[in-house]
Amino acid sequence: MTRDEVRGAILDILSEIAPDENIESIDDNRKLRDQMDLDSMDFLDIVMELRKRFNIEVPEKDYEHLATMSGCIAYLQPLMLKKQVAN
Amino acid sequence: MAYDVAIIGAGLSGLAAGIRLALFDKKVVLIERHTEIGGLNSFYSRKHRTFDVGLHAMTNFSPRGARNTPLGKILKQLRFRHEDFRLCPQETSEIRFPGKSLRFTNDFEFLTQEVAEQFPDQLDGFLKLSARIREYDEISLENRSWISARRVMEEFLSDPLLIDMLFCPLAYYGNAREEDMEFYQFVIMFKSIFLEGFSKPLGGMHYILHLLADKYRALGGELILGNGVESLCVENSRVTALQLEGGQAIEASAVLSSMGYLETLRRCSPAPPQATEAAPGKMSFMESIFVLDREPRELGFDRSIVFFCTRPRFEYRVPGELVDVTSGVLCCPNNFRFPEPLPEGILRLTHQANFELWDRLPRKEYIAAKKECRARGLAELATFFPDFSDSVVFIDSFTPKTIHKYTGHIHGAVYGCPDKVKNGVTPVKNLFICGTDQGFLGIIGATLSGISMANFHVLQGHR
Ligand SMILES: Cc1cc2nc3c(=O)[nH]c(=O)nc-3n(C[C@H](O)[C@H](O)[C@H](O)COP(=O)(O)OP(=O)(O)OC[C@H]3O[C@@H](n4cnc5c(N)ncnc54)[C@H](O)[C@@H]3O)c2cc1C
């Protein structure tokens, strides 16, 4: 997956868990929580969706990597690549 | 057949927990004793009319876009849009006591203004009390030590009448305990009624319940209706199987139960000692539904809901007689902002009632007592409100005995045990409580409870 594809996949998840939010205007370097009013229940959903869609497990100690969009991409892209290779 | 999770009870909490788990591909089964879903908040038909059992109003109304309110949280966690619930907000409600009345709407400023006018010397305390309530984290799942809500109110307010008036609606809509209320419960109820407010879904509970059940099924969840859980087989402090009334056994790695804390423990085999140690709840109600031949507004009933007390002091406890008609709730479903007027005028009248006295009556006397109590309720109401008895075309009443029959709650206790199990944990390791006895009450509360317990104990796996 390219960087853009990973970004797209994350946007997909965000629009599923927060259908009323405007995700077009997300600033990759600001905290998602501040831009979209996400709480801990939402982060659980992001993690659950990653498991469901990509079979990726994010342990609780790594949640901090998901704070911003660029953090998500940096953390997830290598994991997604690994899955692709495995498949 | 082995499941990841079995949920006991297809009320609001069970359905919500089921959706959450099915959403993340858990193999889940919901087991409901009745042939209909809904539990405490179901619906029934009499003479071609469908009535909601529990629904006066949905508390916790918040507008579209509010994501961190309880309603906002359940919508996003269950993946619904605000408009899916088709909520129609209230007009104006009222707390009516001898010589004083406080009106309130879904705008908290309105109530504040009423307090300023009716109780000017209490306004400062009222504002401080509401600030304290706003900043309180009532949905934390930690068990904290008991704080008396009345004591906290007395810290801020000196007029016992205002204390009673604020306490009355919160007690009626969510207090399992006699006389007093635990402060965090009070905060939940205060926010849900005064800071957020009332609405009704277009199509009633029937609509909401089917919306949830359809989503649950579409996600692959299984639903067993008309077959209750007879017992939970326990070995080494773990549930190994659920024995159903129909004879089948169901195996699951975890069990969420919405049938009540004691009710669940008492069905465990063998039952843990806690099953007889904790005190069951006692607060129950009688309610009558009056169908009218005209709009209630034409008869002088223009409020959405009125909480009233005809005596100077309000009491919330099991009455010493069948019903206590000197306080109650009068709900008028017509006075909500529905896009079209409802087909008929309806008034619902609720009073505190005594389960044991009702339960003792033989069949014939039970029916006569229902009639007699209803008449007393109406006579008392007429001292405070216009008389509407000439416009009634159909009446139905239910009592604590009915509630007991349909919910299985000990004593017909609508709000379950006074001591809640906030983290849902029981002495049995893979058995968790959700719904009424977990402590988030009402329609939105029970739904949030099912979601929180599914998240906490299954999806996040805090064991
Ligand atoms: C008269 C009345 C009026 C109310 N008015 C309002 C209102 O206006 N607004 C509001 O917000 N809330 C109201 N409530 C409260 C609201 O209905 C409840 O808080 C909510 O429905 C509780 O949901 P629950 O899932 O916790 O429990 P329940 O709805 O009780 O669900 C438990 C389910 O478990 C099932 N069950 C029990 N034993 C077994 C067994 N052995 N095996 C299988 N299944 C079993 C029951 O049949 C039931 O379906 C009212 C309640 C009542 C009774």
Side-chain angles (χ1 to χ4, degrees):
Chain A
M1 264 189 171
T2 64
R3 198 188 139 84
D4 274 353
E5 284 168 335
V6 176
R7 189 175 191 275
I10 298 164
L11 282 182
D12 242 25
I13 291 178
L14 290 176
S15 67
E16 167 106 19
I17 64 175
D20 292 334
E21 296 269 341
N22 180 11
I23 54 166
E24 305 299 311
S25 60
I26 283 181
D27 175 344
D28 284 14
N29 296 315
R30 276 181 54 215
K31 283 201 166 138
L32 289 170
R33 192 186 279 267
D34 299 338
Q35 300 178 73
M36 298 185 51
D37 205 6
L38 300 176
D39 62 15
S40 57
M41 281 183 162
D42 297 314
F43 276 91
L44 173 64
D45 276 41
I46 296 175
V47 171
M48 297 301 299
E49 287 292 340
L50 286 169
R51 179 190 296 171
K52 183 166 144 182
R53 296 178 186 205
F54 304 104
N55 210 5
I56 289 178
E57 292 285 346
V58 183
E60 213 164 325
K61 66 170 179 29
D62 288 352
Y63 283 13
E64 58 189 274
H65 296 296
L66 306 182
T68 62
M69 178 59 95
S70 43
C72 286
I73 298 170
Y75 178 79
L76 294 170
Q77 196 178 9
L79 295 176
M80 289 187 178
L81 262 175
K82 232 192 260 166
K83 290 280 164 201
Q84 271 173 330
V85 174
N87 288 340
Chain B
M1 164 78 89
Y3 292 90
D4 294 321
V5 186
I7 303 170
I8 308 178
L12 288 156
S13 65
L15 286 166
I19 292 178
R20 280 298 291 171
L21 297 171
L23 198 55
F24 297 112
D25 300 332
K26 297 284 173 199
K27 203 166 159 41
V28 44
V29 61
L30 250 169
I31 306 159
E32 169 58 52
R33 200 169 55 151
H34 289 292
T35 49
E36 266 299 351
I37 56 174
L40 273 176
N41 227 304
S42 195
F43 44 85
Y44 63 99
S45 295
R46 286 269 187 296
K47 304 235 165 89
H48 316 299
R49 293 183 170 93
T50 301
F51 295 107
D52 284 325
V53 182
L55 184 71
H56 281 178
M58 249 154 97
T59 55
N60 300 91
F61 178 78
S62 54
R64 181 165 184 255
R67 302 187 74 240
N68 283 322
T69 59
L71 175 64
K73 281 187 203 294
I74 69 168
L75 290 172
K76 69 187 183 186
Q77 286 271 301
L78 301 179
R79 311 271 169 95
F80 285 111
R81 290 172 183 273
H82 193 275
E83 49 273 29
D84 291 336
F85 272 30
R86 306 199 310 204
L87 297 177
C88 307
Q90 68 160 330
E91 301 281 353
T92 303
S93 290
E94 184 180 338
I95 308 163
R96 194 181 289 194
F97 274 52
K100 285 275 190 219
S101 142
L102 289 172
R103 292 172 301 158
F104 62 99
T105 62
N106 289 356
D107 175 8
F108 187 65
E109 274 308 302
F110 191 100
L111 175 62
T112 308
Q113 196 53 42
E114 288 279 294
V115 172
E117 282 165 25
Q118 302 283 319
F119 296 92
D121 62 327
Q122 301 290 303
L123 179 64
D124 185 50
F126 178 76
L127 291 173
K128 288 187 177 134
L129 174 66
S130 15
R132 168 83 180 268
I133 288 170
R134 273 182 210 272
E135 72 200 20
Y136 196 86
D137 176 18
E138 73 286 3
I139 57 178
S140 143
L141 298 178
E142 273 160 50
N143 287 312
R144 279 174 287 201
S145 59
W146 150 267
I147 305 173
S148 151
R150 281 199 174 267
R151 188 79 47 80
V152 178
M153 278 198 281
E154 283 161 7
E155 265 173 48
F156 294 97
L157 306 169
S158 58
D159 190 332
L161 179 58
L162 179 59
I163 292 180
D164 276 2
M165 289 179 82
L166 294 173
F167 185 64
C168 171
L170 312 190
Y172 265 106
Y173 272 11
N175 191 7
R177 191 179 293 276
E178 296 182 90
E179 314 289 352
D180 203 346
M181 195 164 183
E182 189 152 0
F183 185 61
Y184 86 88
Q185 285 282 349
F186 177 84
V187 171
I188 292 182
M189 296 310 300
F190 192 99
K191 287 185 177 170
S192 75
I193 293 176
F194 294 138
L195 287 171
E196 291 161 10
F198 297 139
S199 69
K200 278 174 86 72
L202 187 61
M205 272 329 278
H206 189 270
Y207 169 74
I208 295 283
L209 288 165
H210 282 103
L211 192 69
L212 298 182
D214 289 348
K215 175 154 251 176
Y216 171 69
R217 284 205 189 90
L219 289 165
E222 283 178 52
L223 181 59
I224 298 177
L225 289 175
N227 197 353
V229 172
E230 176 81 50
S231 65
L232 300 87
C233 314
V234 178
E235 275 170 46
N236 298 325
S237 292
R238 292 186 74 84
V239 182
T240 52
L242 302 178
Q243 194 61 48
L244 302 195
E245 285 158 1
Q248 312 88 312
I250 294 215
E251 284 174 32
S253 314
V255 178
L256 287 177
S257 172
S258 68
M259 64 193 270
Y261 180 65
L262 291 174
E263 290 81 351
T264 303
L265 295 189
R266 287 182 190 181
R267 280 185 192 264
C268 285
S269 159
Q274 288 83 347
T276 44
E277 281 165 10
K282 291 185 175 162
M283 283 310 299
S284 197
F285 305 100
M286 171 177 180
E287 178 159 306
S288 296
I289 302 174
F290 302 91
V291 180
L292 309 176
D293 63 6
R294 64 195 72 195
E295 282 273 324
R297 204 179 290 272
E298 293 173 36
L299 297 159
F301 293 88
D302 56 357
R303 302 283 180 245
S304 302
I305 299 176
V306 188
F307 301 87
F308 65 90
C309 179
T310 61
R311 275 196 300 214
R313 290 304 309 260
F314 169 65
E315 286 192 273
Y316 187 76
R317 40 91 193 93
V318 178
E321 49 185 338
L322 289 167
V323 290
D324 173 1
V325 295
T326 65
S327 81
V329 187
L330 184 69
C331 168
C332 180
N334 304 79
N335 297 335
F336 284 72
R337 296 190 183 148
F338 288 112
E340 308 265 330
L342 298 180
E344 288 183 303
I346 293 180
L347 285 174
R348 305 179 69 124
L349 178 61
T350 311
H351 291 122
Q352 298 169 39
N354 181 317
F355 170 75
E356 273 164 35
L357 296 179
W358 281 104
D359 194 43
R360 236 183 260 160
L361 294 175
R363 181 84 199 143
K364 232 169 123 185
E365 287 170 44
Y366 174 80
I367 300 197
K370 253 166 87 156
K371 243 177 140 169
E372 198 254 338
C373 288
R374 199 159 59 208
R376 276 179 43 219
L378 280 182
E380 183 77 13
L381 199 69
T383 64
F384 242 49
F385 291 87
D387 187 4
F388 60 85
S389 43
D390 288 344
S391 306
V392 176
V393 294
F394 181 79
I395 309 180
D396 194 47
S397 300
F398 60 84
T399 72
K401 201 171 159 167
T402 328
I403 296 172
H404 174 69
K405 180 173 161 203
Y406 285 101
T407 65
H409 285 194
I410 300 166
H411 299 147
V414 168
Y415 301 123
C417 284
D419 295 308
K420 300 300 182 194
V421 190
K422 279 169 94 175
N423 58 14
V425 171
T426 72
V428 180
K429 285 191 192 102
N430 59 343
L431 170 64
F432 307 100
I433 298 301
C434 67
T436 307
D437 276 345
Q438 185 268 327
F440 300 164
L441 293 168
I443 295 166
I444 301 294
T447 309
L448 188 59
S449 170
I451 293 171
S452 309
M453 293 299 107
N455 285 351
F456 192 59
H457 293 296
V458 184
L459 299 178
Q460 283 172 289
H462 285 264
R463 296 287 152 104

